[in-house]
Amino acid sequence: MIYVDNFFSFLNDNILWGVPMIVFLFGTHLYMTYKTGFIQKYIFKGIKLSVTKDNESDGDISPFASLTTALASTIGTGNIIGVATAIVAGGPGAVFWTWITGIFGIATKYAESLIAIKYRKKMDDGSYIGGAMMALEHLNHKWLALLFAFLTALCSFGIGCGVQSNAISEILYTNYHVSPIITAAIIALVTAIVIFGGVKAISSVCEKLVPLMSLLYILGCLYILFYNRGVLVDTIILIISSAFSVKAAFGGFIGSTVMIAARFGIARGLFSNESGMGSAPIVASAAKTLNAPRQALISATGVFWDTVVVCLLTGLVLCSSILNNGDISSVGLNGGQLTSLCFGKIPYIGIPLLVFGVITFAYSTILGWHYYGERCMKYLFGEKSIQYYRILWVVVAFVGAVIELGLVWKIADSLNALMAIPNLIAVIMLSKVIKEDTEYYIKGHRLDEKDESME
């Protein structure tokens, strides 16, 4: 097993998450920002549209349900443990790069969602299926479409299920000594109840769960930052300076060079907001919408909430807690342990907030990623595969809660990068279409106009 672990460490550090991938991903963020004329400036319009009803359009679920289901998958353990993991490996500067990835990643999330919706197809049962696989089919790259769908289905079991159930189990055992078997049984049961109800059941739960869990977590983080207010300015200065520093901060962080900080910050940014992966556009393509840019703009707001707000707050909480408590060091710790130490220093609400955040964030991710994997299974193997996929999903949710999953995190990073490659290819090849639709519908003030060519 140690050889497999070393293999994926080498693969991630030197190939998949080396300089070429960072340049490819971040370069696409910058390129799409340019091609869309800085679509980020319309983000608050997208937020307004996300709560605007659009019942007259074609689709399976409402625009808000689509957004919250996508947020369910993105606001997960990557927002808490993932940020801490980036800090442990890349120093406080990784927080800066995670945030920057979110800012420019808004453009890529918009672009990938636009083409996912524009080229979606209506299935025989009346449901819609879309995503990078449909855009790649439009480009006559069937093999890339199949590769993306296969990687997404495979990735869903790791990043979307096993890792998440394990995070819930670990946090409950560490803080309240709840048996992993009991946790596994409960996760499997509540997951089965929801996913066997299909996309409408999943989106219905996410519509209620995501806003509540996000609001409570944000309020908790703001309380902690108020508690650490004496070092808040120093924390911000440290994060920014460390992002471009060649020296390690605190003496406890490992190798806080510019490249290492950027590598882990960008990787964890992608793990958290999934901008460039092509996952969230799968559910965006199920939304009722008049035209592709309208829902794409709504989908892009997910990156704003996930990374620009939640990840930034988590990073500030962790770094300010380390500065405010001289006895905290990241040496020899993993992301989860560092997170527990930092939150544990906050009187009364620290640990309860952490436990609440991990449980709700991780469970919502299990639901959101199940939908992505299910759609890809349907694309690959047809309707008959769905029931088998759901059963396997419940099994993985159970098993993930009772076994050690350190290696799975590394495999998840590898699959994230591999998923992103065909998706980014589709985005770049269709950049002209993205630019034209953006200029016509958004800059031309035609977001209320129905696109008759779209299924």
Side-chain angles (χ1 to χ4, degrees):
M1 186 62 70
I2 190 171
Y3 296 107
V4 177
D5 188 281
N6 290 338
F7 169 76
F8 277 101
S9 294
F10 175 82
L11 187 67
N12 288 329
D13 294 342
N14 298 283
I15 302 175
L16 294 178
W17 283 111
V19 174
M21 184 60 193
I22 290 177
V23 171
F24 186 31
L25 176 62
F26 201 68
T28 302
H29 290 349
L30 294 174
Y31 180 62
M32 295 317 303
T33 296
Y34 164 73
K35 292 293 285 188
T36 59
F38 200 75
I39 196 68
Q40 291 89 336
K41 65 186 176 184
Y42 297 102
I43 201 67
F44 292 106
K45 185 175 186 64
I47 293 173
K48 182 180 178 181
L49 287 173
S50 69
V51 293
T52 302
K53 291 186 177 181
D54 190 7
N55 295 323
E56 303 301 319
S57 304
D58 298 325
D60 298 330
I61 54 179
S62 70
F64 185 69
S66 172
L67 173 62
T68 52
T69 303
L71 278 172
S73 68
T74 54
I75 298 182
T77 55
N79 294 84
I80 304 176
I81 298 174
V83 172
T85 301
I87 292 172
V88 168
V95 176
F96 173 84
W97 290 109
T98 298
W99 189 72
I100 288 295
T101 300
I103 290 288
F104 289 101
I106 288 172
T108 301
K109 180 61 69 71
Y110 166 80
E112 63 186 358
S113 298
L114 190 154
I115 59 176
I117 301 161
K118 186 176 183 68
Y119 300 113
R120 70 183 184 181
K121 289 186 179 179
K122 194 171 186 178
M123 308 300 286
D124 293 338
D125 61 0
S127 65
Y128 286 84
I129 185 168
M133 58 275 200
M134 307 311 299
L136 288 164
E137 267 201 19
H138 174 78
L139 291 167
N140 296 316
H141 291 305
K142 180 72 173 181
W143 70 275
L144 273 178
L146 292 171
L147 178 63
F148 172 82
F150 173 75
L151 288 170
T152 302
L154 186 62
C155 190
S156 67
F157 287 108
I159 181 180
C161 191
V163 164
Q164 307 301 329
S165 63
N166 187 264
I168 296 173
S169 176
E170 183 178 344
I171 202 75
L172 285 174
Y173 180 77
T174 300
N175 293 283
Y176 300 113
H177 306 293
V178 178
S179 169
I181 292 292
I182 294 175
T183 302
I186 294 173
I187 293 173
L189 177 62
V190 295
T191 298
I193 291 172
V194 177
I195 67 174
F196 278 91
V199 63
K200 291 186 178 179
I202 293 172
S203 63
S204 177
V205 172
C206 292
E207 271 189 297
K208 299 175 180 65
L209 178 61
V210 170
L212 175 64
M213 71 181 195
S214 301
L215 177 61
L216 291 177
Y217 182 74
I218 289 171
L219 290 175
C221 285
L222 291 175
Y223 169 81
I224 294 174
L225 291 178
F226 178 77
Y227 180 83
N228 292 335
R229 62 190 181 280
V231 297
L232 193 54
V233 173
D234 290 337
T235 299
I236 295 171
I237 293 173
L238 176 69
I239 288 173
I240 295 174
S241 62
S242 297
F244 303 96
S245 174
V246 295
K247 296 181 180 179
F250 298 150
F253 293 113
I254 303 171
S256 184
T257 64
V258 175
M259 196 61 229
I260 293 175
R263 177 257 192 266
F264 283 98
I266 293 173
R268 288 301 155 190
L270 174 62
F271 184 91
S272 177
N273 64 52
E274 300 171 15
S275 183
M277 279 178 63
S279 49
I282 295 173
V283 71
S285 64
K288 296 177 181 179
T289 186
L290 292 166
N291 52 71
R294 183 186 179 96
Q295 185 59 37
L297 194 57
I298 294 172
S299 183
T301 65
V303 182
F304 173 81
W305 294 120
D306 174 89
T307 308
V308 178
V309 176
V310 178
C311 277
L312 176 61
L313 284 174
T314 302
L316 287 172
V317 163
L318 294 172
C319 291
S320 65
S321 294
I322 293 171
L323 276 181
N324 205 30
N325 298 276
D327 58 336
I328 296 179
S329 171
S330 64
V331 176
L333 301 180
N334 59 35
Q337 292 167 337
L338 176 62
T339 305
S340 294
L341 272 178
C342 291
F343 276 78
K345 291 292 183 180
I346 309 303
Y348 308 116
I349 77 162
I351 291 300
L353 174 65
L354 174 61
V355 172
F356 169 81
V358 170
I359 292 175
T360 55
F361 285 17
Y363 179 65
S364 67
T365 300
I366 290 173
L367 298 183
W369 263 94
H370 173 269
Y371 179 77
Y372 301 156
E374 183 178 293
R375 291 286 93 184
C376 288
M377 288 294 290
K378 187 172 184 177
Y379 174 78
L380 290 167
F381 305 111
E383 184 67 34
K384 292 182 179 179
S385 66
I386 300 303
Q387 291 299 97
Y388 298 106
Y389 178 79
R390 289 172 178 170
I391 293 171
L392 184 58
W393 189 266
V394 174
V395 172
V396 172
F398 181 92
V399 174
V402 296
I403 65 172
E404 175 60 42
L405 286 179
L407 176 60
V408 175
W409 279 93
K410 294 181 181 180
I411 296 174
D413 266 351
S414 299
L415 291 173
N416 287 352
L418 291 171
M419 268 184 66
I421 292 170
N423 177 64
L424 293 174
I425 290 172
V427 167
I428 292 170
M429 292 185 71
L430 290 167
S431 60
K432 182 179 179 181
V433 173
I434 294 166
K435 179 181 179 181
E436 290 174 350
D437 276 17
T438 301
E439 290 179 346
Y440 182 83
Y441 287 102
I442 295 182
K443 297 180 181 179
H445 306 289
R446 298 184 180 92
L447 284 174
D448 293 327
E449 181 179 313
K450 185 174 177 61
D451 183 357
E452 299 295 343
S453 68
M454 193 175 68
E455 289 195 51

